C-alpha cells in the first residue's frame, strides 16, 4: 500500500470518486477503476467483470459476463484467468464476499494450480462491486513474482474502491437506461396516434417526423398511393408550431391550369370566363398555417414558377390581378410519381424541387412493413365494428396469414377498404379469408398455409433479415434483441459475427 495513514487513504478514495464521476459509459468506468486499483495497490494486472444485464452493454462480446481488461491483461490471458479462478470469481459474484489469497498457488480454491505457476500468479484479490444488495460484478487484481504485501487494511481499501465503482456504475446504468427510455419515449411522442406502425421502416419515418416538427422548412413526401402521405402531412401540421392555424390541402392532379391557379392564388373578377367575383386564393386563407400540395408533380411548369415565388418570397399574384399578396405558409408537398423521372423529362422545375425538398419523407409501401399490416388491420376491424355498431370481431389465423402474404398494391388505403368490406360481409365474430375477397394473384405467389416455394430465400437469409430488423428496432441493443427473439446473447453474438464475415 502506497498510503501511510488513513488521511492519505481517504484523500485517495475521494480522488477516485471524483474521477469516476467524470466518466460517461460503463466501459470507461470499468477501465478507470481497474487502472486506479492497480496503481493504488501496486498490482501487476487487473480486470473488472460485470454480471450480464447489470448495465445496458456498450459493447458486449457474447460472454455470459462482460469483462473489461486493461491493467496488463490481454484478452486471451483474461480468458485463461477465468478458467483458473473461475470458481473464485463466481463465488465472489454469488456471495458478495471478497477473497484475498497471498499464496494462490497453494490455495485449493483455485482450480489448476499449475496454471497459476505457468502464469506466474502469486497473490490474488477479488472484491465485489456491490450496491445495496445487488452484486454488479467483481474487481480482480493479481500480483506476480514476489508475494504481495497485502494486509487487511489493503483489502478494505480494495473493497471501498469496488463499492465506489459499483455506486458509479449503478448511477451510470440508470442514466444509460433512462437515456434509452427517453429516446424511445421521444420516438413514441413523434408518432401521431392515428399513424399505426412499429416496423423499422415506420420507425424511421417517425424519427424523421420528430426532426421536421419544430422547423418551418418545406417537406416533400414521397411514396406509393395509399401509403399515408396525407395523414403524415396532417400530423406534421397538427403537432407542429402552426397547429391551431389553418391546414389547407389542394389536390393538384388533373386540374386545368387556370382552375388550379385560381384555387391557389385567387382571381380578379372577369379575369377569365366564369370569374364573376373576386376570389381569395387558398394561399391567402392558409396564412400562418400549412399548405398541403397533393400530387405536386402534376402541376404545369407555369404553376410551378408561381409556387417557387411563394416559397422564395412568400408572395404571389392572384390571376388577372396587379396586386401582390403576401402569405406566410409552411409548404408540405406530396407525390406518388417518380420525381427523378419528372426532373429528367423536364416536367418538373429543378429549382422548385430543391426548394421543396428541404426534408424528404419517403413512405414505405405496406408490403415492407412486416407485422404492421396486422396491427393496422386489427385497428380497422375495431374501428369499423364500432362505427357500424356491430359486436366485436377478430381475424382468424388464416386471415392474418393471408393479410401478411398479400402484396397490397393499394397499400393502407386498400387494406382499409378490404377490412371495411370484410366487417360488413362476415357473418360470425371471426373474419375468415373468404370475407376479404382478395385477388389470389397477388399473394406473393402463395396460398395461405403453403410455406415453401422454390425461389423462397434460404432459412438463414430469413433468420438474418428478422434478426437484423429486430436489432435495428432496439437501436442495436443486443441484450434486448436476444431477449425478444428468445435466443441467447451468445447465439446472437456469433450469428452477427458470421454475417459480418
Ligand atoms: N400508418 C397508418 N395507420 C393507420 N392508417 C393509415 C396509415 N397510413 C395510412 N392510413 C390510412 O390509409 C388511407 C390512405 O392514406 P393517405 O390518404 O394519407 O394516403 P396517400 O399516400 O396520401 O395516398 P394517395 O397517394 O393515393 O393520395 C387513409 O384512410 C389513412 O387514414
Ligand atoms: Mg393523398
Amino acid at each position: 500500500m502506497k498510503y501511510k495513514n488513513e488521511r492519505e487513504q481517504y484523500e485517495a478514495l475521494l480522488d477516485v470518486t471524483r474521477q469516476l464521476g467524470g466518466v460517461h459509459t460503463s466501459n470507461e468506468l470499468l477501465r478507470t477503476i481497474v487502472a486506479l486499483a492497480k496503481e493504488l495497490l501496486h498490482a501487476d494486472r487487473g480486470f473488472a467483470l460485470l454480471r450480464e444485464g447489470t448495465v445496458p452493454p456498450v459493447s458486449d462480446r457474447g460472454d455470459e459476463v462482460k469483462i473489461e481488461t486493461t491493467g496488463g491483461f490481454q484478452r486471451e490471458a483474461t480468458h485463461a484467468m477465468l478458467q483458473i479462478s473461475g470458481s473464485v470469481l463466481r463465488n465472489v459474484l454469488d456471495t458478495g464476499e471478497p477473497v484475498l489469497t497471498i499464496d494462490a498457488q497453494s490455495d485449493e480454491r483455485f482450480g489448476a494450480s499449475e496454471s497459476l505457476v505457468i502464469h506466474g500468479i502469486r497473490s490474488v484479490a477479488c472484491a465485489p462491486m456491490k450496491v445495496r444488495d445487488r452484486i454488479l460484478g467483481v474487481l480482480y487484481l493479481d500480483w506476480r513474482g514476489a508475494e504481495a504485501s497485502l494486509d487487511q487494511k489493503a483489502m478494505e481499501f480494495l473493497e471501498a474502491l469496488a463499492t465506489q465503482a459499483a455506486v458509479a456504475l449503478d448511477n451510470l446504468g440508470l442514466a444509460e437506461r433512462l437515456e434509452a427510455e427517453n429516446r424511445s419515449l421521444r420516438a413514441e411522442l413523434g408518432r401521431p396516434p392515428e399513424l399505426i406502425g412499429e416496423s423499422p421502416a415506420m420507425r424511421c419515418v417517425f424519427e424523421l417526423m420528430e426532426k421536421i416538427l419544430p422547423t418551418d422548412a418545406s417537406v416533400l413526401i414521397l411514396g406509393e398511393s395509399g401509403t399515408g402521405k396525407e395523414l403524415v402531412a396532417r400530423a406534421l401540421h397538427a403537432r407542429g408550431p402552426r397547429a391551431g392555424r389553418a391546414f389547407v390541402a389542394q389536390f393538384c392532379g388533373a386540374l386545368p391550369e387556370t382552375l388550379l391557379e385560381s384555387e391557389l392564388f385567387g382571381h380578379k373578377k372577369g379575369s377569365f370566363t366564369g370569374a364573376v367575383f373576386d376570389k381569395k386564393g387558398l394561399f391567402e386563407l392558409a396564412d400562418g398555417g400549412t399548405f398541403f400540395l397533393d400530387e405536386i408533380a402534376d402541376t404545369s411548369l407555369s404553376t410551378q414558377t408561381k409556387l417557387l415565388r411563394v416559397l422564395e418570397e412568400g408572395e404571389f399574384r392572384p390571376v388577372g390581378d396587379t396586386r401582390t399578396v403576401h402569405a406566410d405558409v409552411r409548404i408540405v408537398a406530396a407525390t406518388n410519381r417518380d420525381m427523378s423521372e419528372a426532373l429528367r423529362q423536364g416536367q418538373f422545375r429543378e429549382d422548385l424541387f430543391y426548394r421543396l425538398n428541404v426534408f424528404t419523407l419517403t413512405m414505405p409501401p405496406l408490403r415492407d412493413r412486416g407485422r404492421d399490416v396486422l396491427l393496422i388491420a386489427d385497428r380497422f376491424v375495431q374501428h369499423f365494428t364500432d362505427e357500424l355498431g356491430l359486436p366485436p370481431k377478430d381475424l382468424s389465423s388464416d386471415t392474418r396469414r393471408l393479410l401478411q402474404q398479400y402484396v397490397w398494391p393499394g397499400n393502407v388505403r386498400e387494406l382499409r377498404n378490404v377490412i371495411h368490406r370484410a366487417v360488413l360481409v362476415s357473418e360470425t365474430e371471426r373474419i375468415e379469408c373468404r370475407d376479404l375477397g382478395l385477388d389470389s394473384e397477388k399473394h406473393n405467389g402463395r396460398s395461405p398455409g403453403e410455406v415453401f416455394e422454390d425461389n423462397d430465400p434460404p432459412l438463414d437469409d430469413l433468420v438474418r433479415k428478422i434478426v437484423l430488423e429486430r436489432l435495428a428496432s432496439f437501436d442495436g441493443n443486443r441484450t434486448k434483441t436476444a431477449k425478444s427473439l428468445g435466443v441467447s446473447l451468445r447465439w446472437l453474438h456469433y450469428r452477427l459475427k458470421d454475417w459480418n464475415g
Side-chain angles (χ1 to χ4, degrees):
M1 272 276 278
K2 185 162 139 187
Y3 303 103
K4 293 175 194 63
N5 56 45
E6 285 190 355
R7 188 186 161 74
E8 273 186 20
Q9 246 186 53
Y10 172 76
E11 279 170 1
L13 260 182
L14 208 63
D15 188 42
V16 169
T17 312
R18 229 174 271 130
Q19 292 203 38
L20 292 183
V23 301
H24 298 293
T25 66
S26 46
N27 274 358
E28 198 185 342
L29 191 142
L30 293 179
R31 262 197 300 278
T32 309
I33 194 69
V34 168
L36 287 168
K38 198 179 117 267
E39 186 198 326
L40 294 172
L41 288 159
H42 301 294
D44 288 312
R45 307 183 302 179
F47 66 78
L49 177 152
L50 273 192
R51 195 191 285 283
E52 195 206 340
T54 300
V55 290
V58 181
S59 72
D60 58 66
R61 303 181 182 96
D63 294 286
E64 193 193 344
V65 287
K66 166 181 164 145
I67 305 161
E68 197 48 60
T69 55
T70 60
F73 263 103
Q74 301 298 316
R75 174 147 315 285
E76 301 70 42
T78 314
H79 282 279
M81 200 54 231
L82 282 176
Q83 300 281 313
I84 301 164
S85 47
S87 61
V88 174
L89 291 168
R90 166 77 43 216
N91 200 31
V92 179
L93 265 181
D94 290 345
T95 63
E97 293 300 320
V99 167
L100 167 67
T101 177
I102 303 290
D103 184 11
Q105 292 177 10
S106 58
D107 192 325
E108 285 178 358
R109 290 176 295 185
F110 289 84
S113 52
E114 61 275 24
S115 312
L116 286 174
V117 178
I118 294 168
H119 287 274
I121 297 166
R122 196 77 202 204
S123 310
V124 173
C126 305
M129 294 196 273
K130 195 158 66 169
V131 59
R132 291 178 291 278
D133 288 336
R134 284 166 45 235
I135 301 155
L136 308 186
V138 177
L139 186 56
Y140 169 103
L141 295 179
D142 70 21
W143 291 260
R144 309 163 98 170
E147 278 175 11
S149 54
L150 288 168
D151 55 11
Q152 196 50 37
K153 275 231 140 33
M155 205 51 210
E156 279 167 15
F157 187 65
L158 180 63
E159 277 192 78
L161 285 179
T163 303
Q164 285 300 318
V167 172
L169 260 174
D170 195 45
N171 288 338
L172 207 59
L174 188 68
E176 285 172 6
R177 267 197 297 275
L178 282 177
E179 208 166 277
E181 202 172 287
N182 207 349
R183 258 201 309 275
S184 80
L185 278 176
R186 264 205 308 269
E188 196 71 39
L189 274 177
R191 170 184 323 180
E194 68 278 22
L195 251 179
I196 303 163
E198 289 177 4
S199 57
M202 282 307 283
R203 275 171 198 256
C204 288
V205 170
F206 297 140
E207 268 166 32
L208 187 54
M209 284 178 74
E210 187 69 16
K211 293 205 182 88
I212 295 173
L213 269 173
T215 75
D216 232 1
S218 312
V219 186
L220 181 61
I221 307 175
L222 304 175
E224 292 176 12
S225 179
T227 45
K229 297 184 294 295
E230 179 156 355
L231 204 55
V232 166
R234 288 184 185 276
L236 285 174
H237 173 74
R239 302 192 45 249
R242 290 173 182 257
R245 312 299 295 266
F247 175 88
V248 177
Q250 174 63 44
F251 180 74
C252 308
L255 272 188
E257 186 179 302
T258 335
L259 201 58
L260 176 62
E261 289 190 3
S262 117
E263 284 299 315
L264 294 176
F265 311 117
H267 63 241
K268 193 97 187 115
K269 177 179 160 189
S271 53
F272 56 92
T273 325
V276 284
F277 302 107
D278 280 0
K279 179 183 167 181
K280 266 196 182 177
L282 291 174
F283 269 114
E284 212 170 333
L285 296 174
D287 195 25
T290 304
F291 205 107
F292 177 51
L293 288 159
D294 203 2
E295 294 312 336
I296 182 96
D298 293 349
T299 50
S300 70
L301 287 171
S302 140
T303 308
Q304 289 171 28
T305 310
K306 292 174 182 155
L307 287 174
L308 185 65
R309 186 165 170 209
V310 178
L311 275 166
E312 287 188 331
E313 290 153 42
E315 60 182 36
F316 57 90
R317 189 170 293 168
V319 179
D321 207 336
T322 46
R323 124 199 111 92
T324 309
V325 180
H326 289 266
D328 161 35
V329 287
R330 191 228 190 125
I331 306 275
V332 179
T335 180
N336 55 27
R337 278 186 49 191
D338 178 352
M339 280 307 266
S340 49
E341 191 57 32
L343 287 168
R344 207 170 21 249
Q345 294 190 353
Q347 293 163 346
F348 203 85
R349 287 185 65 132
E350 238 175 83
D351 43 10
L352 177 60
F353 174 73
Y354 290 117
R355 266 283 168 176
L356 287 173
N357 193 27
V358 181
F359 286 107
T360 303
L361 246 168
T362 305
M363 297 305 293
L366 185 57
R367 62 185 167 278
D368 291 347
R369 298 189 205 172
R371 293 182 58 80
D372 282 2
V373 175
L374 300 179
L375 286 181
I376 300 175
D378 283 333
R379 183 71 69 89
F380 285 161
V381 169
Q382 199 192 339
H383 171 83
F384 288 118
T385 47
D386 283 355
E387 194 181 83
L388 296 163
L390 297 170
K393 288 178 189 275
D394 64 10
L395 301 159
S396 75
S397 52
D398 272 354
T399 308
R400 299 179 86 78
R401 207 169 309 135
L402 181 54
L403 289 172
Q404 279 221 282
Q405 284 164 348
Y406 187 67
V407 291
W408 300 112
N411 294 294
V412 189
R413 179 178 297 109
E414 185 182 11
L415 176 60
R416 188 184 162 94
N417 294 340
V418 164
I419 298 290
H420 192 176
R421 187 179 53 222
V423 166
L424 282 169
V425 302
S426 78
E427 284 165 356
T428 64
E429 286 165 12
R430 183 134 302 160
I431 296 174
E432 301 293 347
C433 291
R434 62 175 179 278
D435 301 327
L436 298 179
L438 286 177
D439 178 353
S440 60
E441 293 287 289
K442 294 185 183 126
H443 293 179
N444 285 343
R446 294 184 202 141
S447 58
E450 191 178 331
V451 277
F452 177 70
E453 282 267 317
D454 272 349
N455 57 355
D456 269 349
L459 183 61
D460 192 55
D461 286 0
L462 290 173
V463 172
R464 178 164 185 255
K465 183 168 180 284
I466 293 167
V467 169
L468 294 181
E469 273 182 16
R470 193 68 63 89
L471 188 66
S473 75
F474 282 113
D475 285 337
N477 186 318
R478 292 182 180 187
T479 307
K480 287 186 186 162
T481 305
K483 206 166 158 199
S484 90
L485 290 167
V487 298
S488 71
L489 192 55
R490 184 184 290 271
W491 181 92
L492 178 63
H493 173 68
Y494 284 124
R495 298 320 301 261
L496 290 174
K497 221 163 113 187
D498 279 348
W499 294 328
N500 289 331

